[in-house]
Coordinates of all heavy atoms in Angstrom, one line a residue:
A248 N -13.0 6.4 26.8 CA -12.6 7.6 27.4 C -13.6 8.8 27.4 O -13.8 9.6 28.2 CB -11.3 8.1 26.8
D249 N -14.4 8.8 26.3 CA -15.4 9.9 26.1 C -16.5 9.9 27.2 O -17.1 11.0 27.4 CB -16.1 9.9 24.7 CG -16.7 8.6 24.4 OD1 -16.8 7.7 25.3 OD2 -17.0 8.3 23.2
V250 N -16.7 8.8 27.9 CA -17.7 8.8 29.1 C -17.2 9.6 30.1 O -18.0 10.5 30.7 CB -18.0 7.3 29.5 CG1 -18.9 7.2 30.7 CG2 -18.6 6.4 28.3
L251 N -16.0 9.4 30.5 CA -15.5 10.2 31.6 C -15.3 11.7 31.2 O -15.6 12.6 32.0 CB -14.0 9.7 32.0 CG -13.3 10.4 33.2 CD1 -14.2 10.4 34.5 CD2 -12.1 9.7 33.5
V252 N -15.0 11.9 30.1 CA -14.9 13.3 29.6 C -16.2 14.0 29.7 O -16.4 15.1 30.1 CB -14.4 13.5 28.1 CG1 -14.4 14.9 27.7 CG2 -12.9 12.9 28.1
S253 N -17.3 13.3 29.3 CA -18.6 13.8 29.2 C -19.0 14.2 30.7 O -19.7 15.2 30.9 CB -19.6 12.8 28.6 OG -19.3 12.5 27.4
L254 N -18.7 13.3 31.7 CA -19.1 13.5 33.0 C -18.3 14.8 33.6 O -18.9 15.6 34.3 CB -18.6 12.3 33.9 CG -19.5 11.0 33.7 CD1 -18.8 9.8 34.5 CD2 -21.0 11.2 34.1
A255 N -17.0 14.9 33.2 CA -16.3 16.1 33.7 C -16.9 17.4 33.0 O -17.0 18.4 33.6 CB -14.8 15.9 33.3
L256 N -17.3 17.3 31.8 CA -17.8 18.5 31.1 C -19.3 18.9 31.8 O -19.4 20.0 32.1 CB -18.3 18.1 29.7 CG -17.2 18.2 28.7 CD1 -17.6 17.5 27.3 CD2 -16.8 19.6 28.3
I257 N -20.1 17.9 32.0 CA -21.4 18.2 32.6 C -21.3 18.8 34.0 O -21.9 19.7 34.5 CB -22.2 17.0 32.6 CG1 -22.7 16.5 31.2 CG2 -23.6 17.2 33.4 CD1 -23.2 15.2 31.0
A258 N -20.2 18.2 34.8 CA -20.1 18.6 36.2 C -19.4 20.0 36.2 O -19.9 20.9 37.0 CB -19.0 17.7 36.8
A259 N -18.5 20.3 35.3 CA -18.0 21.7 35.2 C -19.1 22.8 34.9 O -19.0 23.8 35.5 CB -16.8 21.7 34.2
V260 N -19.9 22.4 33.9 CA -21.0 23.3 33.5 C -21.9 23.6 34.7 O -22.4 24.7 35.0 CB -21.8 22.8 32.2 CG1 -23.0 23.6 32.1 CG2 -20.9 22.8 31.1
C261 N -22.2 22.5 35.4 CA -23.2 22.5 36.5 C -22.7 23.5 37.6 O -23.6 24.3 38.3 CB -23.5 21.2 37.2 SG -24.5 20.1 36.2
I262 N -21.4 23.7 37.7 CA -20.9 24.5 38.9 C -20.5 25.9 38.3 O -19.8 26.6 39.0 CB -19.8 23.9 39.6 CG1 -18.6 23.6 38.8 CG2 -20.3 22.7 40.4 CD1 -17.4 23.3 39.5
G263 N -20.7 26.1 37.0 CA -20.4 27.3 36.4 C -18.9 27.5 35.9 O -18.6 28.6 35.6
E264 N -18.2 26.4 36.0 CA -16.8 26.5 35.4 C -16.8 26.3 33.9 O -16.4 25.3 33.4 CB -16.0 25.5 36.1 CG -15.7 25.6 37.6 CD -14.9 26.9 37.9 OE1 -14.1 27.4 36.9 OE2 -14.9 27.4 39.1
Y265 N -17.3 27.4 33.2 CA -17.5 27.2 31.7 C -16.1 27.0 31.0 O -16.1 26.3 30.0 CB -18.3 28.4 31.2 CG -19.6 28.5 31.9 CD1 -20.0 29.7 32.5 CD2 -20.5 27.4 31.9 CE1 -21.3 29.9 33.2 CE2 -21.7 27.6 32.5 CZ -22.1 28.7 33.2 OH -23.3 28.9 33.9
F266 N -15.1 27.8 31.5 CA -13.8 27.8 30.7 C -13.2 26.4 30.8 O -12.7 25.9 30.0 CB -12.9 28.8 31.4 CG -11.5 28.7 30.8 CD1 -11.2 29.3 29.5 CD2 -10.5 28.1 31.4 CE1 -10.0 29.2 28.9 CE2 -9.2 28.0 30.8 CZ -9.0 28.5 29.7
S267 N -13.3 25.8 32.1 CA -12.8 24.5 32.3 C -13.5 23.5 31.4 O -12.9 22.6 30.9 CB -13.0 24.1 33.8 OG -12.2 24.9 34.6
A268 N -14.8 23.6 31.3 CA -15.6 22.6 30.5 C -15.2 22.9 29.0 O -14.9 21.8 28.2 CB -17.1 22.9 30.6
G269 N -15.1 24.1 28.6 CA -14.7 24.4 27.2 C -13.2 23.8 26.8 O -13.0 23.3 25.8
E270 N -12.4 24.1 27.8 CA -11.0 23.7 27.6 C -10.9 22.2 27.6 O -10.1 21.7 26.6 CB -10.2 24.3 28.8 CG -8.7 24.0 28.7 CD -8.4 22.9 29.7 OE1 -9.4 22.6 30.5 OE2 -7.3 22.4 29.7
V271 N -11.5 21.5 28.4 CA -11.5 20.0 28.4 C -12.0 19.5 27.0 O -11.5 18.6 26.4 CB -12.4 19.4 29.6 CG1 -12.5 17.9 29.3 CG2 -11.6 19.5 31.0
A272 N -13.1 20.0 26.6 CA -13.7 19.6 25.3 C -12.8 20.0 24.1 O -12.7 19.0 23.3 CB -15.1 20.3 25.1
F273 N -12.1 21.1 24.1 CA -11.2 21.4 23.1 C -10.1 20.6 23.0 O -9.7 20.0 21.9 CB -10.8 22.9 23.3 CG -9.7 23.4 22.3 CD1 -10.1 23.8 21.1 CD2 -8.4 23.4 22.7 CE1 -9.1 24.2 20.1 CE2 -7.4 23.8 21.8 CZ -7.8 24.2 20.5
I274 N -9.4 20.2 24.1 CA -8.3 19.4 24.2 C -8.6 17.9 23.7 O -7.9 17.3 23.0 CB -7.6 19.3 25.6 CG1 -6.9 20.6 25.9 CG2 -6.6 18.1 25.7 CD1 -6.2 20.7 27.2
M275 N -9.8 17.4 24.2 CA -10.3 16.1 23.7 C -10.4 16.0 22.2 O -10.0 15.1 21.6 CB -11.5 15.7 24.4 CG -11.2 15.6 26.0 SD -10.1 14.5 26.5 CE -10.6 12.9 25.8
Q276 N -11.1 17.1 21.6 CA -11.3 17.0 20.2 C -10.0 17.2 19.5 O -9.9 16.7 18.3 CB -12.3 18.1 19.8 CG -13.8 17.9 20.4 CD -14.4 16.7 19.5 OE1 -13.8 15.8 19.1 NE2 -15.8 16.8 19.5
L277 N -9.1 18.0 20.0 CA -7.8 18.1 19.3 C -7.1 16.8 19.3 O -6.5 16.5 18.2 CB -7.0 19.1 20.1 CG -5.5 19.5 19.6 CD1 -5.6 20.0 18.2 CD2 -4.8 20.3 20.5
G278 N -7.1 16.1 20.3 CA -6.5 14.7 20.4 C -7.2 13.8 19.4 O -6.5 13.1 18.6
A279 N -8.5 13.8 19.3 CA -9.2 13.1 18.3 C -8.8 13.4 16.9 O -8.7 12.6 16.0 CB -10.7 13.1 18.5
F280 N -8.7 14.7 16.6 CA -8.3 15.2 15.4 C -7.0 14.7 14.9 O -6.7 14.3 13.7 CB -8.3 16.8 15.3 CG -7.9 17.3 14.0 CD1 -8.9 17.3 12.9 CD2 -6.7 17.8 13.9 CE1 -8.4 17.9 11.7 CE2 -6.3 18.5 12.7 CZ -7.1 18.4 11.6
L281 N -6.0 14.8 15.9 CA -4.7 14.4 15.6 C -4.6 12.9 15.2 O -4.0 12.5 14.2 CB -3.8 14.6 16.8 CG -3.3 16.0 17.1 CD1 -2.6 16.0 18.5 CD2 -2.5 16.5 16.0
E282 N -5.5 12.1 15.9 CA -5.6 10.7 15.5 C -6.2 10.5 14.1 O -5.7 9.6 13.4 CB -6.3 10.0 16.6 CG -6.3 8.5 16.6 CD -6.7 7.8 17.9 OE1 -7.3 8.4 18.7 OE2 -6.4 6.6 18.0
N283 N -7.3 11.2 13.8 CA -7.9 11.0 12.5 C -7.1 11.5 11.4 O -7.1 11.0 10.2 CB -9.2 11.8 12.5 CG -10.3 11.1 13.4 OD1 -10.3 10.0 13.6 ND2 -11.2 12.0 13.9
V284 N -6.3 12.6 11.5 CA -5.3 13.0 10.5 C -4.4 11.9 10.1 O -4.0 11.8 8.9 CB -4.5 14.2 11.0 CG1 -3.3 14.5 10.2 CG2 -5.3 15.5 11.1
T285 N -4.1 10.9 10.9 CA -3.0 9.9 10.6 C -3.8 8.8 9.8 O -3.1 8.0 9.3 CB -2.5 9.2 11.8 OG1 -3.6 8.5 12.5 CG2 -1.8 10.2 12.7
V286 N -5.0 8.9 9.5 CA -5.8 7.7 8.9 C -6.2 8.2 7.5 O -6.8 9.2 7.3 CB -7.0 7.3 9.7 CG1 -7.7 6.2 9.0 CG2 -6.6 7.0 11.1
S287 N -5.8 7.4 6.5 CA -6.3 7.7 5.1 C -6.7 6.4 4.5 O -6.0 5.4 4.4 CB -4.9 8.2 4.3 OG -5.2 8.3 3.0
K288 N -8.0 6.3 4.3 CA -8.6 5.1 3.9 C -9.0 5.1 2.5 O -10.1 5.3 2.0 CB -9.9 4.8 4.7 CG -9.6 4.6 6.2 CD -10.7 4.2 7.0 CE -10.4 4.1 8.5 NZ -10.3 2.7 8.9
A289 N -8.0 4.9 1.6 CA -8.2 4.7 0.2 C -8.5 3.4 -0.1 O -7.6 2.5 -0.2 CB -7.0 5.2 -0.5
R290 N -9.8 3.0 -0.4 CA -10.2 1.7 -0.6 C -10.5 1.3 -2.1 O -11.5 0.8 -2.4 CB -11.4 1.3 0.3 CG -11.1 1.4 1.7 CD -10.1 0.5 2.3 NE -10.1 0.6 3.6 CZ -9.0 0.0 4.3 NH1 -8.0 -0.5 3.7 NH2 -8.9 0.1 5.6
A291 N -9.6 1.8 -3.0 CA -9.9 1.6 -4.4 C -9.3 0.4 -4.9 O -9.6 0.1 -6.2 CB -9.4 2.8 -5.1
G292 N -8.6 -0.4 -4.3 CA -8.0 -1.6 -4.8 C -8.9 -2.6 -5.5 O -8.5 -3.1 -6.5
I293 N -10.0 -2.9 -4.8 CA -10.9 -3.9 -5.4 C -11.4 -3.4 -6.6 O -11.5 -4.2 -7.6 CB -12.0 -4.3 -4.4 CG1 -11.3 -5.0 -3.1 CG2 -12.9 -5.2 -5.0 CD1 -12.3 -5.1 -1.9
E294 N -11.9 -2.2 -6.7 CA -12.4 -1.6 -8.0 C -11.5 -1.7 -9.1 O -11.7 -2.1 -10.2 CB -12.9 -0.2 -7.7 CG -14.1 -0.1 -6.8 CD -13.9 -0.2 -5.4 OE1 -12.8 -0.4 -5.0 OE2 -14.9 -0.3 -4.7
K295 N -10.1 -1.4 -8.7 CA -9.2 -1.5 -9.8 C -8.8 -2.8 -10.2 O -8.5 -3.1 -11.4 CB -7.8 -0.9 -9.2 CG -7.8 0.7 -9.2 CD -6.6 1.3 -8.5 CE -6.9 2.8 -8.3 NZ -5.7 3.4 -7.5

Side-chain angles (χ1 to χ4, degrees):
D249 54 12
V250 175
L251 182 54
V252 175
S253 299
L254 291 173
L256 277 170
I257 294 167
V260 169
C261 288
I262 63 168
E264 293 292 343
Y265 304 123
F266 176 80
S267 295
E270 174 261 351
V271 164
F273 175 76
I274 287 182
M275 296 304 296
Q276 290 289 33
L277 179 63
F280 175 76
L281 288 175
E282 194 161 11
N283 289 334
V284 162
T285 66
V286 181
S287 174
K288 296 188 181 251
R290 300 297 188 197
I293 294 171
E294 288 78 7
K295 288 176 183 174

